[in-house]
Amino acid sequence: MQEPFDLALIWAFIIGFGIIMYVLMDGFDLGVGILFPFAPDEESRDIMMNSVAPVWDGNETWLVLGGAGLLAAFPLVYSIFLPALYIGVFLLVAGLIFRGVAFEFRFKARTSRYLWNWAFAGGSTVATFAQGAVVGAYIQGFNTADGVFVGGPFDWLTPFTLLTGVGMLAGYTLLGSTWLILKTEGELQAWAYRLTTPLLLAVLVIFGVISVWTPFVDDLVRERWFSNLSVIWILPAFTLFFAYQIFRSVRNRAEGMPFVATIGLFVTTYLGLLVSRWPYVVPPEYTLWDAASAYNSQLFLLLGLLFVIPIVLAYTAWTYWVFRGKVRADAGYH
């Protein structure tokens, strides 16, 4: 009997939406953490932390949503990803936890505050690099047999994934600097302006190298790219458009546009990843329909999620609206 809805496709959209929301929402505060040790002074670090204090924990709700949805809707993905990416995922989660602990303790510390500064930066850096390496491992694919991962524990760590990890560090740092342009003023904002153009150039160079390297990593990606050049060229064109908007808006000392254009840069890159791998959720063998759980299971969980997503969206929108102004060192959000 033909099912009335393709729930695997609906779930793929929901999880994909949750992932890009996490990347954008948590990416800028991870970027702020990476920049933390290089801030002009301790007061600047107070302002930087206060700029993300109201939103950082809520941002990670999207990671939980995407991860829980992946387990429920596509259990085969979990059964392959966890053994394949166990070390990378552990580093990601450990970095996020360490960053959260450092976030809370730094506000209360006095003589040991400098240690928590480095802990906050270290957790942010490790979590970001791990995310990039995991993305690189997804691009290069997994060694599977009969629905089971048969590779080694370090298959995810290759020169290609090291480069994608560095690329994620550069990208999140760019998000962080443009967030500081939006949320701060004075010396700290001027410092963020100075950083943004070099960071943009670094992102373009690294992402350019990754784009050239990717077709040589996987035959399917190469075939898809070069057989659909008449359509795929749109994505790099939009990428260059957003990059130019960042450069122009920073030169003109605009405050909101650098952050908005950086979001556009990430969205086009994310769409490029989806176009390259669709519909494979465990490349190079398993599609989202191969990995999907039973129809009734997906339907039951979807009904609950339809209530959760509007609440998360409303909470996220409300938080950003309430704390939309400039940030001070004595804001007291903690």
Side-chain angles (χ1 to χ4, degrees):
M1 178 180 176
Q2 182 68 34
E3 303 295 353
F5 302 103
D6 189 345
L7 292 186
L9 192 60
I10 294 173
W11 270 104
F13 173 80
I14 291 172
I15 293 171
F17 177 73
I19 291 173
I20 189 60
M21 286 295 290
Y22 169 75
V23 168
L24 297 177
M25 298 294 99
D26 205 37
F28 69 78
D29 60 57
L30 284 169
V32 168
I34 296 168
L35 289 170
F36 213 63
F38 311 104
D41 50 45
E42 194 65 19
E43 182 180 1
S44 297
R45 281 186 275 273
D46 290 339
I47 297 172
M48 292 168 69
M49 187 159 279
N50 281 333
S51 75
V52 299
V55 297
W56 75 274
D57 49 352
N59 291 341
E60 293 179 0
T61 304
W62 295 105
L63 180 63
V64 175
L65 179 66
L70 195 65
L71 174 62
F74 303 105
L76 179 64
V77 176
Y78 245 81
S79 68
I80 294 175
F81 275 21
L82 279 186
L85 302 171
Y86 183 83
I87 297 175
V89 172
F90 170 78
L91 291 173
L92 165 60
V93 175
L96 292 176
I97 292 173
F98 205 64
R99 180 190 66 152
V101 172
F103 197 104
E104 297 299 331
F105 275 83
R106 181 187 178 276
F107 283 125
K108 300 173 175 61
R110 292 295 178 264
T111 58
S112 61
R113 176 171 283 202
Y114 72 99
L115 295 175
W116 295 114
N117 288 344
W118 284 104
F120 182 65
S124 300
T125 302
V126 169
T128 300
F129 177 81
Q131 286 182 33
V134 166
V135 170
Y138 173 77
I139 294 172
Q140 68 184 12
F142 302 93
N143 187 10
T144 61
D146 299 322
V148 177
F149 176 69
V150 294
F154 292 100
D155 283 6
W156 64 278
L157 194 61
T158 66
F160 180 74
T161 62
L162 289 175
L163 182 62
T164 56
V166 173
M168 191 68 84
L169 284 170
Y172 277 5
T173 308
L174 178 62
L175 261 180
S177 69
T178 55
W179 172 257
L180 293 176
I181 290 173
L182 176 66
K183 298 295 290 183
T184 65
E185 52 192 357
E187 181 186 355
L188 180 56
Q189 186 187 58
W191 175 72
Y193 273 124
R194 291 194 298 271
L195 287 177
T196 298
T197 299
L199 287 171
L200 173 62
L201 293 175
V203 167
L204 292 177
V205 169
I206 296 171
F207 280 27
V209 174
I210 292 172
S211 298
V212 172
W213 196 341
T214 298
F216 298 97
V217 170
D218 184 81
D219 293 337
L220 175 63
V221 174
R222 181 168 62 250
E223 179 183 352
R224 178 162 296 179
W225 280 18
F226 291 106
S227 61
N228 296 279
L229 282 176
S230 59
V231 177
I232 286 183
W233 70 268
I234 296 173
L235 292 175
F238 270 108
T239 299
L240 292 176
F241 168 77
F242 286 122
Y244 173 72
Q245 290 300 319
I246 297 169
F247 174 77
R248 186 176 67 88
S249 57
V250 167
R251 186 181 59 186
N252 295 334
R253 289 300 188 261
E255 294 187 341
M257 182 53 69
F259 184 67
V260 172
T262 305
I263 288 176
L265 196 68
F266 267 84
V267 170
T268 54
T269 304
Y270 183 65
L271 290 176
L273 174 62
L274 294 181
V275 167
S276 300
R277 277 307 188 185
W278 180 265
Y280 293 93
V281 289
V282 185
E285 295 185 34
Y286 300 105
T287 67
L288 60 96
W289 295 281
D290 297 327
S293 59
Y295 183 87
N296 288 337
S297 299
Q298 289 188 333
L299 180 60
F300 175 75
L301 293 164
L302 181 62
L303 294 176
L305 201 62
L306 291 177
F307 289 96
V308 173
I309 291 180
I311 295 173
V312 175
L313 285 171
Y315 169 77
T316 301
W318 177 83
T319 303
Y320 281 91
W321 175 257
V322 170
F323 298 102
R324 63 188 182 278
K326 296 291 185 179
V327 180
R328 306 184 313 273
D330 59 347
Y333 295 141
H334 54 287

